[in-house]
Amino acid sequence: MKVRIQFTYQTPMGANTSFQSEEMKALDALLLVDDMEKTGRVKQLTFIDTQDIAWSQKELKRYFEEIEEEPHDVYIYFDGGFDQQRKKSGLGCVIYYQQNGKSFRIRKNATVGELDSNNEAEYAALHFALKELESLDAQHLQITVRGDSQVVINQLKGEWPCYEKTLSGWAGRIETKLTYQSIEPQYELIPRKNNNEADRLATQALENIEISSKKEV
């Protein structure tokens, strides 16, 4: 979860003004506020999440206490590769998450047929990743989705139109799955070099090398 901090700063002489921070991770915001409150000059403090919902400091701390045993702080990396000659696609995904004070990483890939383009393989890879996330029973979350496909990321962010019927269908399936799991995604376009893990998994799938692992990191 990411939030902005809104607060009023008041001097000992009574002068005051309001401030709003940049968006940051909620846990970092809580640490900053704990330090700021030591001055005794911070008033009317509120946290605003990405859905413009206001949280008190007490409510936000209680939220993190409640979710500690559930998967949270989830980051998904995805990549898809398409072999035109064989009409096969390789799908790869890497999922990082926190649970019970520990960090975990899931790496998984798959080979599929019946896809017609690299863009479709990229969409299928993200859908594959969300199915894996569903197996963790992860619901009611904010997640970060990272990929190097401009088409997928920009279309799902609503910044590019989606005219192709096939790709529109994949986008609809992804949005339906997110809604069903009550998950709010934040999409981030990253350079290909920062997506090496998912890219390698997609390549290995096309080489008929199956990967499925979960480990503490």
Side-chain angles (χ1 to χ4, degrees):
M1 176 189 292
K2 292 187 176 181
V3 298
R4 306 184 308 276
I5 307 170
Q6 290 184 351
F7 64 96
T8 298
Y9 184 89
Q10 184 171 304
T11 70
M13 299 299 293
N16 65 77
T17 189
S18 297
F19 292 94
Q20 178 171 281
S21 75
E22 295 181 350
E23 198 173 86
M24 67 184 77
K25 291 182 178 180
L27 288 174
D28 290 340
L30 285 170
L31 288 174
L32 280 172
V33 165
D34 284 342
D35 189 65
M36 289 162 56
E37 288 190 325
K38 294 175 183 177
T39 66
R41 298 177 183 178
V42 176
K43 313 292 181 184
Q44 299 177 343
L45 190 145
T46 306
F47 300 89
I48 309 297
D49 67 21
T50 54
Q51 294 180 305
D52 288 327
I53 297 174
W55 300 67
S56 69
Q57 186 177 6
K58 185 176 181 180
E59 288 171 335
L60 199 55
K61 285 183 175 181
R62 187 187 305 123
Y63 168 77
F64 281 105
E65 290 171 358
E66 291 173 349
I67 71 167
E68 184 61 24
E69 296 183 0
E70 304 295 329
H72 59 279
D73 202 15
V74 176
Y75 288 81
I76 289 179
Y77 293 80
F78 72 95
D79 197 42
F82 179 64
D83 187 324
Q84 176 71 38
Q85 289 185 332
R86 294 188 294 160
K87 294 294 182 181
K88 285 190 176 182
S89 299
L91 316 180
C93 72
V94 185
I95 302 173
Y96 289 92
Y97 67 97
Q98 304 281 326
Q99 190 171 16
N100 293 318
K102 298 179 181 180
S103 299
F104 296 93
R105 181 189 67 184
I106 292 174
R107 299 170 67 243
K108 195 163 186 178
N109 67 1
T111 306
V112 297
E114 300 180 359
L115 303 182
D116 295 320
S117 69
N118 192 73
N119 286 334
E120 191 178 1
E122 294 277 11
Y123 264 109
L126 177 52
H127 189 265
F128 175 68
L130 293 176
K131 287 173 64 178
E132 188 62 28
L133 182 62
E134 187 176 17
S135 71
L136 296 176
D137 196 28
Q139 299 182 22
H140 306 285
L141 293 173
Q142 287 184 330
I143 67 171
T144 301
V145 177
R146 291 173 173 167
D148 57 61
S149 169
Q150 293 191 54
V151 170
V152 173
I153 296 296
N154 288 326
Q155 286 183 348
L156 290 177
K157 287 172 70 174
E159 295 180 357
W160 286 10
C162 185
Y163 297 120
E164 287 188 52
K165 185 177 179 179
T166 301
L167 300 188
S168 180
W170 278 107
R173 286 192 285 275
I174 287 168
E175 290 172 2
T176 297
K177 184 166 286 295
L178 290 168
T179 300
Y180 177 74
Q181 295 175 244
S182 299
I183 289 175
E184 179 192 348
Q186 291 195 344
Y187 296 105
E188 294 183 3
L189 181 65
I190 60 174
R192 190 171 185 80
K193 65 180 180 180
N194 294 345
N195 202 29
N196 285 337
E197 283 187 298
D199 174 67
R200 179 59 180 158
L201 287 166
T203 300
Q204 288 174 316
L206 285 173
E207 295 169 349
N208 296 317
I209 302 172
E210 184 177 344
I211 304 294
S212 181
S213 68
K214 173 184 173 181
K215 65 179 292 187
E216 187 177 345
V217 293

